[in-house]
C-alpha cells in the first residue's frame, strides 16, 4: 500500500485525537529547587461566579437567582471557602486541597485585554502581550531556563498533538498524547519515517520522536494508568493529566506543561451543563496530583480561562461573554487555604460596563508572581516573558521553604 506523507500524518493525528483535551510538554531544565509549573487552559470562558460563588454578597441573589446553588451546609450546596465564598460541589477534590492549604482561588481576575471574542481573547491570553505575538508566554519561560541536556528525549517529543500558542516559540518543546485503543503497528511507523527521511524538517523530527517513544512508554508504564470513578472510563483530560504528572515526575523529564479542556461556553442551560466539565476538571487535577507523586510538593498549577461571563442570566438559562472570572493556583508549593484577589462587589454601580464582574487583578501579575517566586525568574526574565509589564507581580502566592 502506498502512503502519501499527508495521509500518514492525518492518520496518526486522528488515531491520537482526545476530544476537547490536549497536552503539550516542554522539555526544559528547572531551577535549583527542581520546581514544576503546569498551566491548564479552560477554553470557552468559565463562569467564575458559578465556580467560586460569592454567596455572602447581598446583591448576588437578585442578579442570578435561577443560576445559584444552595448555600453551604444545605443539601447539594456549595462547599464553603471561609464564610463569603463557596466552591461548586463538583470541585470536591479542589476543596480538599483548599482545606490542606494547597489551593488558592483568585477572584475578579482578567487578562490585560477587553475582547469578548473567544479566538481573539485566547490569542492574547496565550501570547501574554498587549499585541498579538507569534510566541506564547510559557514558551518564553522555557527560553529563560537552561536546557536540560540530560533529558532522554532532548527538547521534547515531536510527535503528538498540536502545540498550543501558549507553548509555541523559539524554545524547542514537544507534545505527547497517550495512544488510543487503535495502535499503529511498527510497519506503519517505518513507512512514515521512510516517507519523511529526506525532508530536513520532518525527517529528523520523526526519527527523534520514534527514538523518544521508548522513554515515554517506559515512564508511563511504571504505574497503572489512571482509573475512572466507579469503574467508568476516565475522561480524556484525566488520561492526559495523569500522563503529564508521571512525565513531570521523572528527574530528567520536562519541567513545564500545558493542558487544555473545553466545554465552558455555557450560553444556555448553564446550571446543569457546568456539572460535567467541572467534574472532569476536578478528576483530571486529582489525576495530575497522583501522577506527580512526591513531585507534587514542588509543583504549581495555574488554571486560567480567556474571560468570565455576564453577571445576569440570559433568556435561555445561560450567561454570555463577560470580563472578570476566577483563576486557580494549586500544588504543594502553593500558599493556599484562602481566597485571593480584591472583591469588587456586585452592585449595579460596581459592575464593569453595567454587565460584568469588574476586574481587579491582572492575570499576568498572578503568573509573574509564580514565575518569580517558584521558578526563580529575574525581573529581566519576566520582562521577556510579559513584554512591557505594566504591573507588579503578585506576592504571597508561593509557600516559603
Amino acid at each position: 500500500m502506498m502512503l502519501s506523507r499527508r495521509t500518514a500524518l492525518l492518520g496518526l493525528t486522528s488515531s491520537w485525537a482526545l476530544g476537547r483535551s490536549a497536552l503539550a510538554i516542554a522539555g526544559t531544565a528547572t531551577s535549583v529547587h527542581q520546581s514544576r509549573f503546569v498551566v491548564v487552559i479552560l477554553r470557552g470562558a468559565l463562569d467564575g461566579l458559578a465556580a467560586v460563588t460569592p454567596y455572602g454578597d447581598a446583591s448576588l441573589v437578585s442578579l442570578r437567582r435561577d443560576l445559584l446553588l444552595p448555600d453551604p451546609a444545605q443539601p447539594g450546596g456549595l462547599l464553603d471557602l471561609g464564610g463569603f465564598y463557596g466552591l461548586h460541589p463538583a470541585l470536591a477534590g479542589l476543596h480538599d486541597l483548599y482545606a490542606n492549604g494547597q489551593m488558592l482561588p483568585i477572584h475578579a481576575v482578567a487578562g490585560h485585554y477587553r475582547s469578548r471574542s473567544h479566538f481573539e481573547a485566547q490569542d492574547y491570553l496565550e501570547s501574554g502581550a498587549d499585541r498579538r505575538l507569534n510566541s506564547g508566554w510559557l514558551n518564553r519561560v522555557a527560553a529563560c531556563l537552561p536546557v536540560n541536556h540530560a533529558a532522554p528525549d532532548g527538547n521534547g517529543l515531536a510527535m503528538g498533538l498540536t502545540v498550543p500558542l501558549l507553548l509555541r516559540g523559539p524554545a524547542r518543546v514537544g507534545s505527547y498524547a497517550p495512544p488510543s485503543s487503535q495502535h499503529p503497528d511498527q510497519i506503519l511507523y517505518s513507512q512514515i519515517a521512510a516517507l519523511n527521511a529526506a525532508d530536513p524538517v520532518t525527517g529528523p523530527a520523526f526519527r527523534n520522536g520514534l527514538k523518544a517513544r521508548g522513554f515515554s512508554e517506559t515512564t508511563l508504564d511504571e504505574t497503572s494508568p489512571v482509573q475512572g470513578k466507579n469503574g467508568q472510563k476516565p475522561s480524556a483530560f484525566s488520561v492526559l493529566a495523569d500522563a503529564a504528572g508521571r512525565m513531570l515526575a521523572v528527574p530528567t523529564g520536562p519541567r513545564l506543561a500545558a493542558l487544555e479542556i473545553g466545554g465552558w461556553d455555557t450560553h444556555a442551560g448553564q446550571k446543569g451543563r457546568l456539572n460535567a466539565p467541572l467534574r472532569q476538571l476536578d478528576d483530571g487535577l486529582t489525576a495530575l496530583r497522583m501522577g506527580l507523586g512526591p513531585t507534587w510538593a514542588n509543583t504549581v498549577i495555574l488554571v486560567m480561562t480567556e474571560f468570565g461571563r455576564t453577571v445576569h442570566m440570559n433568556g435561555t438559562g445561560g450567561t454570555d461573554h463577560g470580563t472578570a472570572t476566577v483563576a486557580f493556583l494549586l500544588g504543594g508549593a502553593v500558599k493556599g487555604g484562602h481566597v485571593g484577589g480584591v472583591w469588587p462587589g456586585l452592585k449595579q454601580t460596581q459592575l464593569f460596563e453595567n454587565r460584568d464582574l469588574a476586574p481587579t487583578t491582572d492575570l499576568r501579575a498572578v503568573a509573574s508572581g509564580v514565575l518569580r517566586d517558584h521558578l526563580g525568574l529575574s525581573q529581566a526574565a519576566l520582562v521577556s516573558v510579559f513584554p512591557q509589564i505594566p504591573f507588579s507581580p503578585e506576592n504571597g502566592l508561593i509557600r516559603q521553604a
Side-chain angles (χ1 to χ4, degrees):
M1 179 178 63
M2 299 299 294
L3 291 173
S4 69
R5 184 183 305 164
R6 175 173 295 182
T7 300
L9 287 170
L10 290 176
L12 278 182
T13 302
S14 63
S15 70
W16 291 339
L18 285 168
R20 295 178 174 180
S21 300
L23 160 68
I25 291 181
T28 60
T30 185
S31 69
V32 293
H33 301 295
Q34 294 292 296
S35 300
R36 274 73 165 174
F37 182 47
V38 181
V39 179
V40 178
I41 304 174
L42 309 183
R43 296 198 186 276
L46 168 68
D47 182 9
L49 295 175
V52 178
T53 303
Y55 69 88
D57 191 304
S59 301
L60 180 67
V61 174
S62 63
L63 292 169
R64 48 168 53 200
R65 182 186 307 273
D66 293 335
L67 290 177
L68 298 179
L69 296 176
D71 286 352
Q74 298 184 28
L78 299 166
L79 307 174
D80 197 39
L81 297 177
F84 183 86
Y85 298 99
L87 191 66
H88 194 286
L91 297 173
L94 289 187
H95 191 252
D96 290 343
L97 292 175
Y98 178 90
N100 290 327
Q102 297 181 345
M103 198 276 281
L104 173 65
I106 304 175
H107 226 314
V109 164
H112 53 286
Y113 45 85
R114 293 297 173 263
S115 171
R116 289 190 172 91
S117 160
H118 289 300
F119 303 107
E120 186 175 65
Q122 288 176 22
D123 280 350
Y124 284 127
L125 175 74
E126 296 179 67
S127 66
D130 293 329
R131 60 191 186 281
R132 292 188 183 184
L133 301 177
N134 293 325
S135 64
W137 63 262
L138 194 57
N139 183 278
R140 298 195 291 275
V141 172
C144 292
L145 300 174
V147 176
N148 185 0
H149 295 288
D153 59 351
N155 287 317
L157 301 176
M159 301 169 66
L161 297 173
T162 300
V163 177
L165 173 58
L166 181 69
L167 261 177
R168 294 180 199 163
R172 290 189 62 190
V173 300
S175 61
Y176 172 85
S180 68
S181 58
Q182 299 298 321
H183 296 268
D185 59 30
Q186 295 301 318
I187 296 177
L188 178 58
Y189 283 125
S190 299
Q191 289 176 320
I192 294 171
L195 284 167
N196 288 272
D199 191 296
V201 175
T202 61
F206 275 111
R207 186 167 58 253
N208 293 336
L210 290 172
K211 288 180 180 178
R213 283 186 74 239
F215 160 71
S216 299
E217 289 179 352
T218 300
T219 299
L220 297 177
D221 285 343
E222 288 178 355
T223 59
S224 299
V226 62
Q227 299 295 319
K229 291 184 177 180
N230 301 319
Q232 296 179 344
K233 182 180 179 180
S235 70
F237 181 68
S238 289
V239 173
L240 283 171
D242 172 68
R246 285 188 278 154
M247 294 180 78
L248 289 167
V250 177
T252 56
R255 298 295 178 262
L256 304 173
L259 294 91
E260 57 187 56
I261 177 173
W264 308 102
D265 200 14
T266 51
H267 285 285
Q270 173 176 298
K271 191 173 182 179
R273 286 183 57 196
L274 264 182
N275 290 324
L278 284 173
R279 285 197 183 95
Q280 289 181 19
L281 174 65
D282 194 68
D283 290 346
L285 293 174
T286 298
L288 178 57
R289 176 175 62 85
M290 298 300 291
L292 283 162
T295 307
W296 170 260
N298 300 321
T299 298
V300 172
I301 302 163
L302 169 62
V303 181
M304 64 182 193
T305 192
E306 65 261 37
F307 45 68
R309 308 194 74 83
T310 51
V311 170
H312 293 274
M313 184 178 73
N314 61 26
T316 58
T319 53
D320 298 320
H321 300 174
T323 306
T325 183
V326 70
F328 296 99
L329 289 177
L330 57 148
V334 171
K335 188 178 181 181
H338 64 282
V339 179
V342 177
W343 182 246
L346 293 175
K347 294 179 181 178
Q348 191 62 41
T349 56
Q350 296 171 322
L351 300 182
F352 179 73
E353 296 184 349
N354 298 314
R355 54 174 276 170
D356 299 339
L357 179 65
T360 58
T361 300
D362 191 317
L363 185 58
R364 294 178 298 178
V366 174
S368 293
V370 173
L371 298 176
R372 180 194 63 192
D373 299 336
H374 183 58
L375 293 184
L377 266 62
S378 66
Q379 180 64 24
L382 290 178
V383 171
S384 70
V385 172
F386 295 114
Q388 301 174 339
I389 291 183
F391 53 81
S392 298
E394 288 287 312
N395 297 313
L397 305 177
I398 304 301
R399 192 184 305 277
Q400 299 301 314

Coordinates of all heavy atoms in Angstrom, one line a residue, residues 6-65:
R6 N 1.1 13.3 3.7 CA -0.1 13.9 4.3 C -1.1 12.9 4.8 O -1.6 13.0 5.9 CB -0.8 14.8 3.3 CG -2.1 15.4 3.8 CD -2.7 16.5 2.9 NE -1.8 17.6 2.8 CZ -2.1 18.7 2.0 NH1 -3.2 18.7 1.4 NH2 -1.2 19.7 2.0
T7 N -1.3 11.8 4.1 CA -2.2 10.7 4.5 C -1.7 10.1 5.8 O -2.4 9.9 6.8 CB -2.4 9.7 3.5 OG1 -2.9 10.3 2.3 CG2 -3.3 8.6 3.9
A8 N -0.4 9.9 5.9 CA 0.2 9.3 7.1 C 0.0 10.2 8.3 O -0.3 9.7 9.4 CB 1.7 8.9 6.8
L9 N 0.3 11.4 8.1 CA 0.2 12.4 9.1 C -1.2 12.5 9.6 O -1.5 12.5 10.8 CB 0.7 13.8 8.7 CG 2.2 13.9 8.5 CD1 2.5 15.2 7.9 CD2 2.9 13.9 9.9
L10 N -2.2 12.6 8.7 CA -3.6 12.7 9.1 C -4.0 11.4 9.8 O -4.8 11.5 10.8 CB -4.5 12.9 7.9 CG -4.3 14.3 7.3 CD1 -5.2 14.4 6.0 CD2 -4.8 15.4 8.2
G11 N -3.5 10.3 9.4 CA -3.9 9.0 10.1 C -3.4 9.0 11.5 O -4.2 8.6 12.4
L12 N -2.2 9.4 11.7 CA -1.7 9.4 13.1 C -2.4 10.4 13.9 O -2.8 10.2 15.1 CB -0.2 9.7 13.1 CG 0.7 8.6 12.8 CD1 2.2 9.0 12.8 CD2 0.5 7.4 13.8
T13 N -2.7 11.6 13.4 CA -3.4 12.6 14.1 C -4.8 12.1 14.6 O -5.2 12.3 15.7 CB -3.5 13.9 13.3 OG1 -2.3 14.3 12.9 CG2 -4.2 15.0 14.1
S14 N -5.5 11.5 13.7 CA -6.8 11.0 14.1 C -6.8 9.9 15.1 O -7.6 9.8 16.0 CB -7.6 10.6 12.8 OG -7.0 9.4 12.2
S15 N -5.8 9.0 15.0 CA -5.7 7.9 16.0 C -5.3 8.4 17.3 O -5.5 7.7 18.3 CB -4.7 6.9 15.5 OG -3.4 7.4 15.6
W16 N -4.7 9.6 17.5 CA -4.3 10.1 18.8 C -5.2 11.2 19.3 O -4.9 11.9 20.3 CB -2.9 10.6 18.7 CG -1.9 9.6 18.5 CD1 -2.0 8.2 18.8 CD2 -0.6 9.7 17.9 NE1 -0.9 7.5 18.4 CE2 0.0 8.4 17.9 CE3 0.2 10.7 17.5 CZ2 1.3 8.2 17.5 CZ3 1.5 10.5 17.0 CH2 2.0 9.2 17.0
A17 N -6.3 11.5 18.6 CA -7.2 12.6 19.0 C -7.8 12.3 20.3 O -8.2 11.1 20.6 CB -8.2 12.9 17.9
L18 N -8.0 13.3 21.2 CA -8.6 13.0 22.5 C -9.6 14.1 22.8 O -9.6 14.7 23.8 CB -7.5 13.1 23.6 CG -6.6 11.8 23.6 CD1 -5.4 12.1 24.5 CD2 -7.3 10.6 24.2
G19 N -10.6 14.2 21.9 CA -11.7 15.1 22.2 C -11.3 16.5 22.3 O -10.5 17.1 21.6
R20 N -11.8 17.2 23.4 CA -11.5 18.6 23.7 C -10.3 18.8 24.5 O -10.0 19.9 24.9 CB -12.7 19.2 24.3 CG -14.0 19.3 23.5 CD -15.1 19.9 24.2 NE -16.3 20.1 23.4 CZ -17.4 20.6 23.8 NH1 -17.6 21.0 25.0 NH2 -18.4 20.7 23.0
S21 N -9.6 17.7 24.9 CA -8.4 17.9 25.8 C -7.1 17.8 25.0 O -7.1 17.1 24.0 CB -8.5 16.8 26.9 OG -9.7 16.9 27.6
A22 N -6.1 18.4 25.5 CA -4.8 18.4 24.9 C -3.7 18.6 25.9 O -3.9 19.2 26.9 CB -4.7 19.4 23.8
L23 N -2.5 18.1 25.6 CA -1.4 18.2 26.5 C -0.2 18.6 25.6 O 0.1 18.0 24.6 CB -1.1 16.9 27.2 CG 0.3 16.7 27.8 CD1 0.5 17.6 28.9 CD2 0.4 15.2 28.2
A24 N 0.6 19.6 26.1 CA 1.9 19.9 25.4 C 2.9 20.0 26.5 O 2.6 20.5 27.6 CB 1.8 21.2 24.7
I25 N 4.1 19.5 26.3 CA 5.1 19.5 27.3 C 6.4 20.1 26.8 O 6.8 19.9 25.6 CB 5.4 18.0 27.7 CG1 4.2 17.5 28.5 CG2 6.7 17.9 28.5 CD1 4.4 16.1 29.0
A26 N 7.1 20.9 27.6 CA 8.3 21.5 27.3 C 9.4 20.8 28.0 O 9.4 20.7 29.3 CB 8.3 23.0 27.6
G27 N 10.4 20.3 27.3 CA 11.5 19.5 28.0 C 12.6 20.5 28.3 O 13.7 20.4 27.7
T28 N 12.5 21.3 29.3 CA 13.5 22.3 29.7 C 13.9 22.0 31.1 O 13.2 21.4 31.9 CB 13.0 23.7 29.5 OG1 11.9 23.9 30.4 CG2 12.6 24.0 28.1
A29 N 15.1 22.6 31.4 CA 15.6 22.4 32.8 C 14.8 23.3 33.7 O 14.1 24.2 33.3 CB 17.1 22.7 32.8
T30 N 15.0 23.1 35.0 CA 14.3 23.8 36.0 C 15.3 24.6 36.9 O 16.5 24.6 36.7 CB 13.4 22.8 36.9 OG1 12.7 23.6 37.8 CG2 14.3 21.9 37.7
S31 N 14.7 25.2 37.9 CA 15.5 25.9 38.9 C 16.3 24.9 39.8 O 16.1 23.7 39.7 CB 14.7 26.8 39.7 OG 13.9 26.1 40.6
V32 N 17.1 25.4 40.7 CA 17.9 24.6 41.5 C 16.9 23.8 42.5 O 17.3 22.7 43.0 CB 18.9 25.4 42.4 CG1 19.9 26.0 41.5 CG2 18.2 26.5 43.2
H33 N 15.7 24.2 42.6 CA 14.8 23.5 43.5 C 13.9 22.5 42.8 O 13.0 21.9 43.3 CB 13.9 24.5 44.2 CG 14.6 25.5 45.0 ND1 15.3 25.2 46.1 CD2 14.8 26.9 44.9 CE1 15.9 26.3 46.7 NE2 15.5 27.3 45.9
Q34 N 14.2 22.2 41.5 CA 13.5 21.2 40.7 C 12.0 21.5 40.7 O 11.2 20.6 40.8 CB 13.8 19.8 41.2 CG 15.2 19.3 41.1 CD 15.6 19.1 39.6 OE1 15.0 18.2 39.0 NE2 16.5 19.9 39.1
S35 N 11.7 22.8 40.5 CA 10.2 23.2 40.5 C 9.6 22.8 39.2 O 10.2 22.9 38.1 CB 10.1 24.7 40.8 OG 10.7 25.0 42.0
R36 N 8.3 22.4 39.3 CA 7.5 22.2 38.1 C 6.4 23.2 38.0 O 5.9 23.7 39.1 CB 6.8 20.8 38.2 CG 7.7 19.7 37.7 CD 8.8 19.3 38.6 NE 9.4 18.0 38.2 CZ 10.5 17.6 38.8 NH1 11.1 18.3 39.8 NH2 11.0 16.4 38.5
F37 N 6.0 23.5 36.8 CA 4.9 24.5 36.6 C 4.0 24.0 35.5 O 4.5 23.7 34.4 CB 5.5 25.9 36.2 CG 4.5 27.0 36.0 CD1 3.4 27.2 36.9 CD2 4.6 27.8 35.0 CE1 2.5 28.2 36.8 CE2 3.6 28.8 34.8 CZ 2.6 29.0 35.7
V38 N 2.7 24.0 35.7 CA 1.7 23.5 34.8 C 0.6 24.5 34.6 O 0.2 25.1 35.6 CB 1.1 22.2 35.3 CG1 0.1 21.6 34.2 CG2 2.1 21.1 35.6
V39 N 0.3 24.8 33.3 CA -0.8 25.7 33.0 C -2.0 24.9 32.4 O -1.7 24.2 31.4 CB -0.4 26.8 32.1 CG1 -1.5 27.8 31.8 CG2 0.8 27.6 32.7
V40 N -3.2 25.1 32.9 CA -4.4 24.5 32.4 C -5.3 25.6 31.8 O -5.7 26.5 32.5 CB -5.1 23.7 33.4 CG1 -6.4 23.0 32.9 CG2 -4.2 22.6 34.0
I41 N -5.6 25.5 30.5 CA -6.4 26.5 29.9 C -7.8 25.9 29.8 O -8.0 24.8 29.3 CB -5.9 26.8 28.4 CG1 -4.5 27.3 28.5 CG2 -6.8 27.8 27.8 CD1 -3.9 27.5 27.1
L42 N -8.8 26.6 30.3 CA -10.2 26.3 30.2 C -10.8 27.1 29.0 O -11.1 28.2 29.1 CB -11.0 26.6 31.5 CG -10.3 26.1 32.8 CD1 -11.2 26.5 33.9 CD2 -10.1 24.6 32.7
R43 N -10.9 26.4 27.8 CA -11.3 27.1 26.6 C -12.8 27.2 26.6 O -13.5 26.2 26.7 CB -10.8 26.4 25.4 CG -9.3 26.3 25.3 CD -8.8 26.0 23.9 NE -7.3 25.9 23.8 CZ -6.5 26.9 23.7 NH1 -6.9 28.1 23.7 NH2 -5.2 26.7 23.7
G44 N -13.3 28.4 26.4 CA -14.8 28.6 26.3 C -15.3 29.6 27.3 O -16.4 30.1 27.2
A45 N -14.5 30.0 28.3 CA -14.8 31.1 29.3 C -15.6 30.5 30.4 O -16.8 30.4 30.4 CB -15.5 32.2 28.6
L46 N -14.9 30.2 31.5 CA -15.6 29.7 32.7 C -16.3 30.8 33.4 O -15.7 31.9 33.6 CB -14.5 29.1 33.6 CG -15.0 28.7 35.1 CD1 -16.0 27.6 35.1 CD2 -13.8 28.4 35.9
D47 N -17.5 30.5 33.9 CA -18.2 31.5 34.7 C -17.7 31.4 36.2 O -18.0 30.5 36.9 CB -19.7 31.1 34.8 CG -20.5 32.1 35.6 OD1 -20.0 33.2 36.0 OD2 -21.7 31.8 35.8
G48 N -16.8 32.4 36.5 CA -16.2 32.4 37.8 C -17.2 32.5 39.0 O -16.9 32.0 40.1
L49 N -18.3 33.1 38.7 CA -19.3 33.3 39.8 C -20.0 32.0 40.1 O -20.6 31.8 41.2 CB -20.4 34.3 39.4 CG -19.8 35.8 39.2 CD1 -20.9 36.7 38.7 CD2 -19.3 36.3 40.5
A50 N -20.0 31.0 39.1 CA -20.6 29.7 39.4 C -19.5 28.8 40.0 O -19.9 28.0 40.9 CB -21.1 29.1 38.1
A51 N -18.3 28.9 39.6 CA -17.2 28.0 40.2 C -16.9 28.4 41.6 O -16.7 27.5 42.4 CB -16.0 28.1 39.3
V52 N -16.8 29.7 41.8 CA -16.5 30.2 43.2 C -17.5 31.3 43.4 O -17.4 32.4 43.0 CB -15.0 30.7 43.3 CG1 -14.8 31.3 44.7 CG2 -14.0 29.6 43.0
T53 N -18.6 30.9 44.1 CA -19.8 31.8 44.2 C -19.6 32.7 45.5 O -19.5 32.2 46.6 CB -21.0 31.0 44.3 OG1 -21.1 30.1 43.2 CG2 -22.3 31.8 44.4
P54 N -19.8 34.0 45.3 CA -19.7 34.9 46.4 C -21.1 35.0 47.1 O -21.8 36.0 47.1 CB -19.3 36.3 45.8 CG -19.9 36.2 44.4 CD -19.9 34.7 44.0
Y55 N -21.5 33.9 47.8 CA -22.8 33.9 48.4 C -23.0 34.9 49.5 O -24.2 35.2 49.8 CB -23.1 32.5 48.9 CG -22.4 32.0 50.1 CD1 -22.8 32.3 51.4 CD2 -21.2 31.3 49.9 CE1 -22.1 31.9 52.5 CE2 -20.5 30.9 51.1 CZ -20.9 31.2 52.3 OH -20.2 30.8 53.4
G56 N -21.9 35.5 50.0 CA -22.0 36.5 51.0 C -22.3 37.9 50.5 O -22.5 38.8 51.3
D57 N -22.3 38.1 49.2 CA -22.6 39.4 48.6 C -24.1 39.5 48.5 O -24.8 38.7 47.8 CB -22.0 39.5 47.2 CG -22.0 40.9 46.6 OD1 -23.1 41.5 46.5 OD2 -20.9 41.4 46.3
A58 N -24.6 40.6 49.1 CA -26.1 40.8 49.2 C -26.7 41.0 47.9 O -28.0 40.8 47.8 CB -26.4 42.0 50.1
S59 N -26.0 41.4 46.9 CA -26.6 41.7 45.5 C -26.7 40.4 44.7 O -27.3 40.5 43.6 CB -25.8 42.7 44.8 OG -25.7 43.9 45.5
L60 N -26.1 39.3 45.1 CA -26.0 38.2 44.2 C -27.3 37.6 43.9 O -27.6 37.3 42.7 CB -25.1 37.1 44.9 CG -24.9 35.8 44.1 CD1 -24.1 36.1 42.8 CD2 -24.2 34.7 44.9
V61 N -28.2 37.4 44.8 CA -29.5 36.7 44.6 C -30.3 37.4 43.6 O -30.9 36.8 42.7 CB -30.2 36.5 45.9 CG1 -31.6 35.9 45.7 CG2 -29.4 35.6 46.9
S62 N -30.4 38.7 43.7 CA -31.3 39.4 42.8 C -30.7 39.4 41.3 O -31.5 39.6 40.4 CB -31.4 40.9 43.2 OG -30.1 41.5 43.2
L63 N -29.4 39.1 41.2 CA -28.8 39.2 39.8 C -28.9 37.8 39.1 O -29.1 37.8 37.9 CB -27.4 39.6 40.0 CG -27.1 41.0 40.4 CD1 -25.6 41.2 40.7 CD2 -27.5 42.0 39.3
R64 N -28.9 36.7 39.8 CA -28.8 35.4 39.2 C -29.5 34.3 40.0 O -28.9 33.3 40.2 CB -27.4 35.0 38.7 CG -26.3 35.2 39.8 CD -25.0 34.5 39.4 NE -24.5 34.9 38.1 CZ -23.6 34.2 37.4 NH1 -23.2 33.1 37.9 NH2 -23.2 34.6 36.2
R65 N -30.6 34.6 40.5 CA -31.3 33.7 41.4 C -31.5 32.3 40.8 O -31.2 31.3 41.5 CB -32.8 34.3 41.7 CG -33.6 33.4 42.7 CD -35.0 34.0 42.8 NE -35.0 35.4 43.1 CZ -35.0 35.9 44.4 NH1 -34.9 35.0 45.4 NH2 -35.0 37.2 44.6

